[in-house]
Amino acid sequence: MPVKESLSELAQLADTAGLFVVGQTFQRRDRPNRATYIGTGKLVEMKSLMSEKNVDIVLFDDELLPRHQRELERGFGEDLRILDRTALILDIFAMHASTREGKLQVELAQLEYRLPRLTKMWTHLARQAGGRAGGAGGGVGLRGPGETQLEVDRREIGRRISVLKTELESVRAHRSRYRAKRRQTELQVVAIVGYTNSGKSTLLNHLSNADILSADMLFATLDPTTRRITMPGGREVLFTDTVGFIQKLPPNIVAAFRATLEEIAEADMLIHVVDATHEHAAAQIESVDDILAELEVDHLPTIIALNKTDLLPQDRQPEKSLPVNGVAVPISALTGQGVESLLLAVEAVMEQQFQPITVMLPYSRGDLMSLFHERGQVNEERHLPEGTEISGRIPHRLISLFDNYLRVKDMAG
Ligand code: GDP
Ligand code: MG
């Protein structure tokens, strides 16, 4: 993604966080300045620009090393806050987390991000201590109350981090029990993925009349929401809405939101929602594909939903100009146009995940019997003295439940 586009996305993120952007600038360098990240001249230039405009915060589009952050704070002066993309994204996550797990995840990610960056405190206190010892900037006077306070802060954060980790573990254990229970219902799962703001929540809303927060903000949804949807053919399927992807999603955030993203790994297939009206839709598709590969879920069958086509001229065919391979369905999640075709395409994929089997179920296994009828397709049923012989097709994920009763395993599927 080109610099300008990345910066305008950063501006949109800033806007989502409630900041007002007064200006943007960038610099081309082979490598960051060792001390101040940007060049010294650039720093001076920015500083004078900012004092004109009464700026409170300087946002960097890339993740800053703690060292750069410290030097930039020195360079720009105490009154300015230096933030990078990661800190901003974490702030937005903190604003939007709504479940207990989401909140714990964000706090943990924030503290882990902050721990090596307790720099403002450091320079501030170091100067105090230095002043007290009578030497400006010397190392001698640094040992004092300032450092003690910093050590206390560090230890406190360290303790809080380990408390959070323990809590998260217990929340996750609970969740995987819940997921195991859900697996017993054995519904097929479709995960809705896509770049942030592409219309994932709007689509799930439309499908389920669920009232999921949908807003023109980046990251309006943080926690996965799952809904049971009846397909055109009558079958029930679970659809789950996921956190939006974004380019330069910091790796520690991907790690922090592993649990959210785990929902994706458990899905039978994906719907990749694309904002087909976006100027950089192609780059967004690639970012999402990259993250899916990173999460090792790129093997899942995927249907692309080219969304917001209500905003496109009638004759424009977005699939012609975008890097989509495989099935792509133009839709409008807002008006519902094309959504039926999307569901039919989903059904077709799910159909392929059915496998032919023949089982002999003893009369004591009425549960499996009704499962076969509800979730599979029965072709033939024979009532014999020792039980019922059923042949037909069932979703791949159910096969293992019938392991003990397989009569003929038809390998054709
Ligand atoms: P998410 O981040 O992928 O969950 O995106 P949302 O569902 O929150 O939608 C982001 C914005 O795009 C909202 O303002 C939606 O109203 C808008 N939007 C979503 N789908 C459509 C669509 O099909 N047409 C139009 N015109 N706007 C849409
Ligand atoms: Mg959403």
Side-chain angles (χ1 to χ4, degrees), residues 52-298:
E52 270 168 42
K53 293 195 173 171
N54 247 328
V55 168
D56 304 305
I57 294 174
V58 188
L59 264 177
F60 285 81
D61 196 29
D62 288 305
E63 187 166 321
L64 296 172
L65 297 173
R67 163 166 55 90
H68 286 142
Q69 173 129 7
R70 187 170 53 236
E71 291 302 321
L72 283 166
E73 276 169 6
R74 277 214 184 107
F76 280 116
E78 284 259 296
D79 297 335
L80 276 175
R81 272 183 78 198
I82 309 289
L83 289 181
D84 61 18
R85 192 182 179 90
T86 307
L88 185 64
I89 291 175
L90 286 171
D91 260 27
I92 296 172
F93 273 31
M95 280 168 20
H96 291 291
S98 62
T99 64
R100 194 164 127 71
E101 184 176 17
K103 286 180 179 152
L104 290 171
Q105 282 177 335
V106 179
E107 192 184 345
L108 181 62
Q110 278 183 315
L111 291 181
E112 286 181 335
Y113 172 82
R114 274 183 207 154
L115 189 57
R117 290 180 174 76
L118 286 176
T119 54
K120 194 114 201 173
M121 175 73 93
W122 172 251
T123 44
H124 178 69
L125 293 171
R127 198 174 311 124
Q128 266 186 359
R132 204 171 293 123
V140 190
L142 291 182
R143 198 157 275 288
E147 192 190 38
T148 312
Q149 186 53 47
L150 189 67
E151 283 305 312
V152 170
D153 288 351
R154 281 223 173 98
R155 267 202 303 277
E156 211 142 273
I157 289 181
R159 261 200 298 275
R160 180 76 190 140
I161 284 178
S162 63
V163 168
L164 284 172
K165 281 184 173 161
T166 316
E167 277 183 49
L168 260 176
E169 252 162 52
S170 86
V171 172
R172 278 181 186 151
H174 175 80
R175 220 164 77 103
S176 67
R177 277 199 298 278
Y178 166 80
R179 261 205 304 254
K181 217 190 299 165
R182 192 174 86 195
R183 209 173 289 130
Q184 281 167 16
T185 74
E186 302 302 349
L187 294 175
Q188 284 172 292
V189 178
V190 183
I192 304 175
V193 300
Y195 209 77
T196 190
N197 224 42
S198 58
K200 300 178 293 299
S201 299
T202 308
L203 176 61
L204 190 56
N205 267 333
H206 180 84
L207 288 174
S208 62
N209 301 317
D211 200 13
I212 302 156
L213 177 66
S214 145
D216 203 0
M217 298 189 286
L218 299 178
F219 298 120
T221 346
L222 261 189
D223 302 298
T225 311
T226 302
R227 294 282 180 273
R228 186 193 285 246
I229 312 287
T230 308
M231 301 295 282
R235 198 176 303 283
E236 292 197 314
V237 167
L238 296 180
F239 280 73
T240 175
D241 183 14
T242 61
V243 62
F245 297 168
I246 193 166
Q247 57 117 12
K248 293 196 211 170
L249 193 64
N252 56 336
I253 291 186
V254 177
F257 286 84
R258 200 182 37 121
T260 307
L261 301 169
E262 267 167 17
E263 298 278 324
I264 302 174
E266 292 203 354
D268 295 280
M269 63 171 292
L270 310 176
I271 294 177
H272 176 169
V273 181
V274 174
D275 177 353
T277 67
H278 199 282
E279 189 188 356
H280 294 281
Q284 296 186 342
I285 291 175
E286 277 160 18
S287 300
V288 171
D289 284 344
D290 286 349
I291 295 175
L292 291 175
E294 220 172 280
L295 295 170
E296 298 175 5
V297 292
D298 45 345

